[in-house]
Structure formats: C-alpha cells, structure tokens
C-alpha cells in the first residue's frame, strides 16, 4: 500500500497538470502521457488488490486512449469527469489502512457513477444512485483482497497441468529477482543446517522465505512459481509444527525447489516466457514430490522422458564456465535432486545482458547515503570559507602596496650621505611592517586551520564514498555451504565448511571476481585434498574433513585464505609429474625448492590427478585462478604439508579504486608498481652485478635474477648517472623472476586508480594512471605485461648493459662489439678485451650485430664469418656500404685460414683478418691496438 500511495501521488500530479493543459488546447502527445499515468495507477491498484480502483483507472485509460487515437474529442465536461477520477484516487491514497475497506464500500456508488460517466461521455451526475440494488458490473472492492490466481492445491491432491499460464509482469521482475536472490540464500543455508540436526526453530525462517517468494511470484504473475513456493511452504510449516520429520530425501527436493527459483531469477527478460513454458512440467513435478513428502508417501516418480526438460543451467558465474568441469550425467537430469549442481547466487544484472556503464545499479544503504549527504553539506559550508580567506588575502596585498609606496618615499627622501629627511617615514614604515607581520601570522594560522578541516572532511567524504562500493565477504560465500554439501555427497566424503571474516569489507568488483576462483578451489579441496572417511580414520583424523575459508585485512590488503586438513601435496610426486611432462630436466627438478615446485600447479593444463573425474583432473582451473588474481592486482601462493593439508592464499587490493603502490622514478618520470605484485624492492651494490653473454644478473635468496633497465623496457632514455648502488624492483610472472633497475625509490603511497581513456587502447606495460598529492601524473605499471616485454627483450638479445660505479671512466673507454655464434669464443674475446680496459658488448649472430651497430656507438667490430641469419662477410659489406659507418674498423676472426678466405674478407671491406687457430692473447690485442689504439686515449 505504501508503494501504491507513492505511485498515486506521482501519477495524480501528472494527470492534474496534463488535463488542465489539455483543456487549454495541448496536443496529442499530452494525451499519451495522461494515458500512461492512468495505466500505471491501474497496474499499481491491481497489485494491491483494489478492484474498484482498477475499474476506475481502466475507464479513464480507455477514454484517454480514444482521445489519443482521434476517436473522441474531450469536452470540458468530460475533463471534469476525468479530474473527478483523479480526486477519487487522491482521497483513496490518504485513507489509513484500518479505514480503507469501509471507505471503499461507502464510495462504491460514486465510483460506479464515475465509470458510467466515463463510458457514456455524459456529465457526472450529482444525484445519489437509486436505493434498490442492481447488478454490479464489477466485484465489490476490498482492501488487500486475495489475488485472482488459482490457489495452490491441497497437499494430498494431485496437481493439474491446466492451471493458469504464467503471465510475467516485466515491470516488476527486477524486484522479484532481488527477492529471490535473498530468500534462496536463506533457503540453501537453512536447509543445509537443518540436515545437520538444527532445531525446529530454524524451520520458521525457511517457511517465511518460501512465503516471501510466493508473494513476489504472485505479484509478477508467475503462477507456476506460486504453486511451487506454496507447496514448499506447506512442507516447512508441517516440519515447524513437528508434524513431519525432514530426511535427506525431503531436503533434496526442497533444495531442488530453491534451485528452480535461483535459475528463474537469472533468466533475461526476453527469454523468460519461453523458459517458463519449457520448465512448467518440472515445476509441476516438484510440486507433486513436495505433496508426497508432506503426506509421508514416497516421492513421486520422475515424469516420462518425453518431453524432456532442458538441463539445469550451471549455477556458477559466467567467468568460471570456461574452466569448471561439466557436471555428470546424473547431475544434468532435471529431476535427480540427490546429484544436482549446487545453487549459487544470481549474477549481477550486467552479467545477464550487456548494458551501458551508465545503467549499472548498485545497492547502497540509506545510512550510507545519509552520511554522504551530511558530508556533502559540510563540504559546501567548508568551500564557502574561501570567500573570507580571499578577502583577507586582498587586505594583505593592499598592506603590501602601502609598504611599497612608503619604501618609494623613503628612497626619495634619502640624502646622498645616507641620512633620511624626517623620522616620521621610518616610524610609519615600522608600524606598517609590524601590522603586516601580525596580519600574515593570523592569515597563516587561519589557512592552516582551514587546510586541516578541509583535509579531514575530504578524507571522511572519500572514505564514505569508498565504503558505498564495499560489500561484506559473506555476499560471495552464500552458495559455498551448499557446494560443499552436494559435492562431498557425490564423492562419498564427509566435509564441512567454516567461513571466517564474513563481515570483512571487500570491493564489490573484486567480490564478484572472487566467486568463481573460490568455487574452483573448494571443488579442488574436496576432490584432491580431503580423503575418504575410512582413510581419514586410519590416519587418525576425524571422518569429517574441514575446509576453512577466511577473509581479513592485512597491511592495507585483502587476504583470502582457503585451507583444508586433507592429504596435502607430496613434493616428490609433484616433482615426478613435472619431469614426466618434460617441463624441466631431471637435474633441474632436483634443485627446485618446495615453493618453486608448487608454482608449477598454476601452469595451464597441469594436474596432479592421475585420472579425470567429473569434479576435476583435467588440468584446468588453477591457472585461471592465478590469472583472475593477477588481473585484480593481486598474487596467489600455495603452501602444503603431507597429511596435514593445503593452503591457498590470495592477496588482493581491498578496493580496485585505491591502490597501495611503490612509487619510483624512471628516466626522470614517476611510475608506480602495485605492492601486491612486487616480490622485493632492494638497493643492490653494483659490485654484486654479474654478467654473462652481455646479460646481467644478481643473486637473491640463492637464485640468479636477470637484471634489466626499466628505462629500456619502457623505451625511455636512461638519464641516470654513475651509481654505486642500484634501486631494483623484483617482479615475477609464473616461474620467471626479473629485476628492474629504476633511478630511485620514492616511497609507498595510496593512489586513486584512474583508468586510461578507451581511445588509447592497450598501452604496453601500463595498466592505469593516477595523480600525486601535488597533481603530478603517475603511470601504474602492468607487471604481467612488463614481464612479457622483458622476455621479448631477452629473446631478441637487444639488452643494454646497466652501468654503475666507475661508469664515467668506462664510458671514456673505447667500445668493441664482438659478433660470434660460439659462446666460448665470445666469452674468451670479451674477457681478454675487458682485461685490457676496453668496454665490450657481444652479439650472437650477424643480424643481431648489425642491429647493435646501428643502435650503438662502437670503435671496433670483431666478427666471425660463418654465423646463422647473417654471416660475417655480409655484415662487413653492410657496414662499409653505410655512409655513417664506413669508417668504422672491422676485424674478422675466423677458423678459415685459406688465402682465398682472407682475400674474400678483405675485399668485403674488413680492416684486419685473423685466424682463430693461430691467434693468442698478444696477437688479438696487438691487432686491436693497430686498429684503434689503447683502450683509453690520451
């Protein structure tokens, strides 16, 4: 009734205003608006069961419809009748609930006169209707009468299939979906608790949930759902009164009913009517089964296979459908309640059908809105304090101008000997300077107070807005108890789920993304982790296994932990599987740490299971879990102990709109690395940097970490000078770890994440942007993307060396490029030349050497002849044919010692030809000295 009153208030305003405009000569568009208003009142009256109001609104709508189509001209008398109808609804909306029924009985003759006048087009009669009774065209109106849909059949009577067809009212379907989402979660959790031996008091909330669904279904015209919810309510009512004991079979059927409503709530509007027709037989069968449960008889048999209903839609989020296994055949049968896919909460509306970002709707509590309104009002008041501050600043500037004038006078009155004519000028100046000092002190004090208040208010407002995006962790866990119950029964295991930190606040976007990965991890724990009851008993454990899911905040991050007390993961078996798959050699596998071995679990297609089951074993899932976590700016780790259990730890940002990050400087510009994606941030002495094959690395925790210049990866000019220590950010992607050398660390900060404009597309190595406190832009690094860029640089062999301590002296040294496809020859020549003070780079073939020559600046090229992609002769020719490089000395060092080979090299343009079979330290160095002289010139 409250909703009805609100509807009447809104539409009556439209009708009053529109009818008056119509009387003054408004066009047909105005009539259409009035017709819609009458139609809305009619729909609202029908929902609350006010039949008399429905009749009046319908008569008004019919008159306005004819006027819109040009079939009727509305005279002033007819507009008077329509306005009387508006007055009728205005009075009706003001009647208290307790007085509504008598008022309707009293006003029934007046309403019938209104309807008659509207249908006939005659003026409204002011005389009372005749006293004798006459046949009434409409049923007697009552307040909140029972709706018209067919009543649900008694428990023992068979359900007929010829009941009223479903006629969904799509204008109310969104409210129905919200109701179903809330109440099915109550049913799922309550029925599972009931199965474990909860008291009869726990049945009452379930009965109320079924009753609420029934009422919501009746409002939107879903008659099949009304019957099913009514049958569930009857069963639960008898259980509440201890007239019926619900066993597992009965609870299975009730859960199947909850599944039906969950699926119904997920069907898009345009597919709803078709789905209801297809699932009608299923709903009727569930009603019959519930009637059998209520009467104490065996559940009714499944209906004949023709026509067979469609398989149940999987109740998992869309994001998880690409990696969760298909349910078994028994699970796909529409009427097999003991092996169903457990129901989960309905996905958000945007997952059902594509929608504009502007049309997204989120739930915000009234208290939250009230607090934001209050803070907004405070902010407005605070902003108005700028005016007095500005006025004070103007006065301050005026005082400065006065001082400037006195200084000018002072200059004019200063004699040549430095004495001043008259002391009054100095005295006045001293007074004015004292006043300015006092004024500036007061101004600074006021501004500091204003700044503190403004900062505090802004922070409170910002946090309140952020909190409107937050949801409790329990919103994502509602379907998990049902999941554990159904899957453990299917596997013949005993398990229970503990959820800790239900009230932990999580960003709604992250919460939505979490549901699918946690679904898979729980399935994985049930199938791989927990042992069968007998095996657990033999191992000295309780027959019932425990899966614990916990969410909490730690160090500004969200930590979600899922642990089981099962068999754990054997690292020896995992090592064997890794070797069998050919992922690493046997020698390397034996040197891998436990953490490194467990990281292989996240590789695509990798599985520890020896057989494929309906639940898992296909080698898919964990890689998608890791991808989701990384996309959200987090990380995932796994820990395991044999016979004690396995723990998966997901570290995520609490909200996606604010990110805790490490701010660094690269090529003179600010960048930020998300803290959740950083392994370490270290200051590395340049002496600990080692080099092999022109690739630099350092040791960290017993592992060699490749070192790359962040400026080179981002294709920026490295502006850093000589350094004794390097600032290195260590990042990892799957089993690879890299060190990115940056210019300096600038500390940890909270950044408000601002997505890049869609017109830019995907910017390489960058995920988003932000601003510092002083308004400077900051780009946020995409760690996953930058790891791929580093890998491409390593593959291409175009790495530049990082120069640290003594870089100035080495820069002055002459540079030599060694080009050879033999690693032994390259390293011998490199070390030999470096020992004599030359700065040496290497290339693995002629093509890489040609790229290096064009990009770098060298004093000498030493090249082999026979190399892949481009041989040494071709390299020499290209260098000598290039106008900018033709004067660059080139030495060929080759195993070919025939005269024709030497002549071929010299004809190509080589300045020196040396054979590898004859050269030794002195020979090579002497040749270099002949060509370019000492490593450091005078």
């Amino acid at each position: 009734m409250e909703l009805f009153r609100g509807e009447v208030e809104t539409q009556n305003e439209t009708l009053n205003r529109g009818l008056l405009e119509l009387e003054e000569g408004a066009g047909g568009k105005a009539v259409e608006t009035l017709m819609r208003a009458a139609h809305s009142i009619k729909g609202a009256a029908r929902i609350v069961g006010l039949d008399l109001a429905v009749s009046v609104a319908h008569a008004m709508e019919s008159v306005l419809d004819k006027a819109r189509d040009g079939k009727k001209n509305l005279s002033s008398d007819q507009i008077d009748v329509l306005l009387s109808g508006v007055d009728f609804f205005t009075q009706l909306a003001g009647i208290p609930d307790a007085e509504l029924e008598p008022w309707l009985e009293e006003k029934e003759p007046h309403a019938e006169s209104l309807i008659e006048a509207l249908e006939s087009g005659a003026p409204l009669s002011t005389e009372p209707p005749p006293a004798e009774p006459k046949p009434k065209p409409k049923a007697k109106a009552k307040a909140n009468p029972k709706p018209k849909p067919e009543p649900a059949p008694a428990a023992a009577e068979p359900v007929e299939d010829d009941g009223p067809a479903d006629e969904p009212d799509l204008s109310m379907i969104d409210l129905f979906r919200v109701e179903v989402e809330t109440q099915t979660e109550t049913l799922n959790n309550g029925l599972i608790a009931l199965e474990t031996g909860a008291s009869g008091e726990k049945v009452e909330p379930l009965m109320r949930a079924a009753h609420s669904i029934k009422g919501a279904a009746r409002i939107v015209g879903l008659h099949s759902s009304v019957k099913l919810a009514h049958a569930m309510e009857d069963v639960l009512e008898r259980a509440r009164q201890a007239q019926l004991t619900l066993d597992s079979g009965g609870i299975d059927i009730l859960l199947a009913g909850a599944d039906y409503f969950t699926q119904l709530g997920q069907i898009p509007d345009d597919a709803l009517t078709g789905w209801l027709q297809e699932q009608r037989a299923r709903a009727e069968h569930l009603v019959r089964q519930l009637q059998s449960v209520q009467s104490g008889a065996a559940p009714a048999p499944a209906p004949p296979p023709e026509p067979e209903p469609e398989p149940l839609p999987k109740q998992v989020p869309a994001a998880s459908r690409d990696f969760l296994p298909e349910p078994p055949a028994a699970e796909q049968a529409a009427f097999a309640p003991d092996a169903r896919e457990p129901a989960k909460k309905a996905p958000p509306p945007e997952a059902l059908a594509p929608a504009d970002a502007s049309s997204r709707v989120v739930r915000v509590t009234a208290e939250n809105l009230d607090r934001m309104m209050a803070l907004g009002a405070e902010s407005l008041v605070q902003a108005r304090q700028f005016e007095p501050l500005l006025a004070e600043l103007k006065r301050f500037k005026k005082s400065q101008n006065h001082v400037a004038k006195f200084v000018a006078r002072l200059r004019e009155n200063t004699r040549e000997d430095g004495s001043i004519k008259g002391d009054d000028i100095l005295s006045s100046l001293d007074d004015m300077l004292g006043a300015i000092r006092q004024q500036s002190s007061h101004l600074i004090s006021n501004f500091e107070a204003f700044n503190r208040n403004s900062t505090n208010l802004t922070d409170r407002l910002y946090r309140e807005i952020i909190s409107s995006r937050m949801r409790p962790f329990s919103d994502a866990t509602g379907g998990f108890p049902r999941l554990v119950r159904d899957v453990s029964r299917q596997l013949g295991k005993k398990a229970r789920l503990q959820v800790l930190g239900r009230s932990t606040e999580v960003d709604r976007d992250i919460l939505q993304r979490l549901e699918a990965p946690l679904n898979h991890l729980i399935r994985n724990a049930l199938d791989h982790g927990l042992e069968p009851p007998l095996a657990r008993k033999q191992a000295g454990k309780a027959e019932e296994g425990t899966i614990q899911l916990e969410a909490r905040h730690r160090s500004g991050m969200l930590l979600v932990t899922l642990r089981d007390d099962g068999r754990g993961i054997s690292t020896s078996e995992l090592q064997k599987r890794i070797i069998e798959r050919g992922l690493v050699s046997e020698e390397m596998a034996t040197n891998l740490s436990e953490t490194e071995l467990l990281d292989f679990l996240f590789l695509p297609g990798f599985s520890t299971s020896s057989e494929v089951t309906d639940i898992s074993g296909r080698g898919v899932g964990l890689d998608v879990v890791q991808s989701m976590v990384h996309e959200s700016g987090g990380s995932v780790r796994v820990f395991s102990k044999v016979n004690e259990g396995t723990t998966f730890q997901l570290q995520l940002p609490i909200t996606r709109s604010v990110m805790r990050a490490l701010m660094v400087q690269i090529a003179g510009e600010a960048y930020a690395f998300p803290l959740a994606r950083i392994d370490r941030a270290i200051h590395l002495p340049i002496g600990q940097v080692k080099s092999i094959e022109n690739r630099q690395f350092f040791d960290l925790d017993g592992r060699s970490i490749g070192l790359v210049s962040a400026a080179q990866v981002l294709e920026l000019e490295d502006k850093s000078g000589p350094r004794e220590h390097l600032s290195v950010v260590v990042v990892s992607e799957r089993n690879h770890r890299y060190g990115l050398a940056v210019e300096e660390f600038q500390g940890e900060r909270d950044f408000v994440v601002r997505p890049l404009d869609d017109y830019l597309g995907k910017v390489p190595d960058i995920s988003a942007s932000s601003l510092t406190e002083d308004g400077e832009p900051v780009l946020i690094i995409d760690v996953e993307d930058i790891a791929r860029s580093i890998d491409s640089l390593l593959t291409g062999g175009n790495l530049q060396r990082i120069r640290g301590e003594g870089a100035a002296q080495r820069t002055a040294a002459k540079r030599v490029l060694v080009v050879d496809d033999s690693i032994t020859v390259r390293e011998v020549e490199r070390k030999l030349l470096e020992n004599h003070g030359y700065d040496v780079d290497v290339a693995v073939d002629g093509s890489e050497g040609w790229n290096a020559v064009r990009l770098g600046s060298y004093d000498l090229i030493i090249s082999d002849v026979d190399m892949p992609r481009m041989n040494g002769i071709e390299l020499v020719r290209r260098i000598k044919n290039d106008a900018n490089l033709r004067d660059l000395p080139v030495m060929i060092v080759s195993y070919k010692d025939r005269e024709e080979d030497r002549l071929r090299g010299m004809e190509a343009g080589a300045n020196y030809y040396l054979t590898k079979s004859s050269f030794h330290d002195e020979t090579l160095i002497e040749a270099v000295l002949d060509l370019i002289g000492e490593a450091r010139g005078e």
Side-chain angles (χ1 to χ4, degrees), residues 216-231:
R218 179 178 286 125
I219 286 174
V220 294
L222 301 177
H223 305 299
S224 299
S225 299
V226 171
K227 290 183 182 181
L228 178 55
H230 183 71

Side-chain angles (χ1 to χ4, degrees), residues 166-214:
D166 291 306
E167 299 175 354
D169 180 0
L170 298 181
S171 66
M172 303 287 288
I173 201 67
D174 285 336
L175 291 174
F176 173 74
R177 288 191 176 105
V178 173
E179 186 74 32
V180 163
E181 179 181 350
T182 303
Q183 303 302 342
T184 52
E185 183 174 346
T186 300
L187 284 168
N188 275 312
N189 294 336
L191 288 169
I192 292 169
L194 199 63
E195 192 175 32
T196 59
S199 64
E201 295 177 357
K202 300 292 184 183
V203 181
E204 188 168 353
L206 306 183
M207 187 191 70
R208 286 200 303 269
H211 181 79
S212 297
I213 293 176
K214 180 177 73 172

Side-chain angles (χ1 to χ4, degrees), residues 474-704:
S474 58
D475 279 9
T477 64
F480 292 154
R482 173 77 182 281
L483 173 69
V484 172
R485 182 253 188 195
D486 286 1
V487 174
S488 60
R489 286 186 62 186
Q490 184 178 342
L491 294 170
K493 298 179 179 181
K494 294 181 180 180
R496 65 188 177 94
L497 176 68
Q498 292 180 347
V499 181
L500 307 177
R502 292 175 183 271
S503 60
T504 301
E505 295 288 319
V506 186
D507 186 286
R508 64 180 74 249
D509 289 343
I510 290 177
L511 199 64
Q512 181 184 337
R513 287 169 170 263
L514 264 177
E515 198 168 7
L518 291 178
N519 184 294
H520 178 82
L521 290 176
I522 290 173
R523 286 172 169 271
N524 214 46
L526 289 167
D527 194 19
H528 293 314
L530 299 185
E531 312 93 328
L534 182 59
R536 289 182 63 86
K537 192 173 182 180
Q538 291 173 348
K541 300 179 181 180
E543 290 187 3
E544 184 181 60
T546 300
I547 297 175
Q548 188 181 84
L549 178 61
E550 180 184 11
R552 57 191 174 95
H553 294 165
R554 190 181 75 178
S555 302
M557 301 292 289
L558 171 69
L559 198 65
V560 179
T561 306
L562 187 129
R563 58 177 67 89
D564 64 70
D565 62 351
R567 58 172 61 92
I569 300 173
S570 169
T571 52
S572 59
E573 290 296 323
L574 181 60
Q575 188 181 76
K576 188 186 301 181
R577 183 59 57 90
I578 292 169
I579 296 170
E580 288 173 359
R581 292 281 305 274
L583 298 173
V584 297
S585 65
E586 186 171 354
E587 181 183 359
M588 183 180 291
T590 56
N591 294 324
L592 292 175
S593 66
E594 181 179 343
T595 302
E596 291 170 332
L597 287 170
L598 290 171
D599 282 343
F600 279 90
L601 295 171
F602 296 102
L603 290 178
F606 188 86
S607 176
T608 57
S609 179
S610 56
E611 59 181 16
V612 174
T613 68
D614 293 323
I615 304 299
S616 57
R618 290 174 170 82
V620 291
L622 286 182
D623 61 314
V624 182
V625 172
Q626 188 182 58
S627 297
M628 171 268 158
V629 173
H630 283 182
E631 286 172 7
S632 300
S635 60
V636 57
R637 299 181 67 187
V638 57
F639 312 93
S640 186
K641 288 187 178 180
V642 177
N643 295 326
E644 292 186 22
T646 302
T647 299
F648 285 89
Q649 195 174 80
L650 282 62
Q651 184 171 300
L652 297 151
I654 294 175
T655 173
R656 298 191 75 191
S657 56
V658 179
M659 177 182 291
R660 188 75 175 167
L662 173 67
M663 187 167 161
V664 303
Q665 190 176 61
I666 303 173
E669 298 180 11
Y671 290 84
F673 284 84
L675 278 187
R677 297 305 313 277
I678 295 176
D679 291 354
R680 298 277 289 276
I682 60 173
H683 289 288
L684 180 70
I686 194 66
Q688 294 183 14
V689 177
K690 304 173 186 177
S691 179
I692 292 180
E693 284 293 283
N694 204 37
R695 296 184 181 181
Q696 294 173 297
F697 66 95
F698 60 96
D699 292 329
L700 181 66
D701 300 332
R703 293 183 59 181
S704 295

Side-chain angles (χ1 to χ4, degrees), residues 121-143:
L124 182 65
S125 174
T126 56
E127 297 179 4
E132 66 271 14
K134 61 179 180 180
K136 296 184 176 122
K138 302 293 178 182
K140 184 176 180 181
K142 291 188 181 293

Side-chain angles (χ1 to χ4, degrees), residues 718-755:
D718 192 349
K719 299 178 180 180
S720 58
R723 292 169 287 176
E724 295 184 0
H725 288 79
L726 299 177
S727 299
V728 179
V729 179
V730 181
V731 298
S732 61
E733 172 63 17
R734 299 197 184 276
N735 293 316
H736 303 292
R737 298 181 81 188
Y738 306 102
L740 282 163
V742 301
E743 288 178 17
E744 65 175 349
F745 298 143
Q746 296 182 331
E748 295 180 14
R749 302 188 188 182
D750 288 324
F751 290 100
V752 177
V753 178
R754 302 181 178 210

